[in-house]
Amino acid sequence: MTVTNDVVLAGGPRDGETVQAGGAGLLEIEVGGMIHRYIPTTKTRPADGAELPVYNYDGMVNPAGAEDGIEDAGRRMTSPLADES
């Protein structure tokens, strides 16, 4: 029996592709200057003649970090559900 580290990506810009994950708990793949994240699931999917583990798309992040103007922490309001002790 051959052991492989291949996984199938589900969702995002690389939907349906197989990649080497090496058992990683988080895959980060650069596409078009942005980082696209994939996380492992308990599901499998047939691909390349085998049942491979599936990594679901978890969103996109800017590799430069937060950008100005996105959020002003000083103007953020406390949640109405927060404990007012």
Side-chain angles (χ1 to χ4, degrees):
M1 179 174 168
T2 303
V3 176
T4 179
N5 290 323
D6 287 351
V7 299
V8 177
L9 302 179
R14 297 279 176 97
D15 185 47
E17 289 186 21
T18 58
V19 298
Q20 288 277 319
L26 172 69
L27 286 180
E28 293 185 322
I29 300 172
E30 194 242 326
V31 178
M34 300 299 275
I35 302 296
H36 296 269
R37 299 166 54 152
Y38 291 84
I39 56 175
T41 69
T42 58
K43 307 249 187 236
T44 61
R45 182 181 293 176
D48 296 337
E51 281 290 319
L52 299 179
V54 175
Y55 274 53
N56 273 347
Y57 186 64
D58 190 47
M60 176 180 71
V61 295
N62 185 336
E67 299 176 8
D68 291 338
I70 300 299
E71 179 180 356
D72 181 355
R75 297 180 69 189
R76 186 182 323 146
M77 296 181 64
T78 304
S79 166
L81 301 176
D83 183 19
E84 296 182 21
S85 41

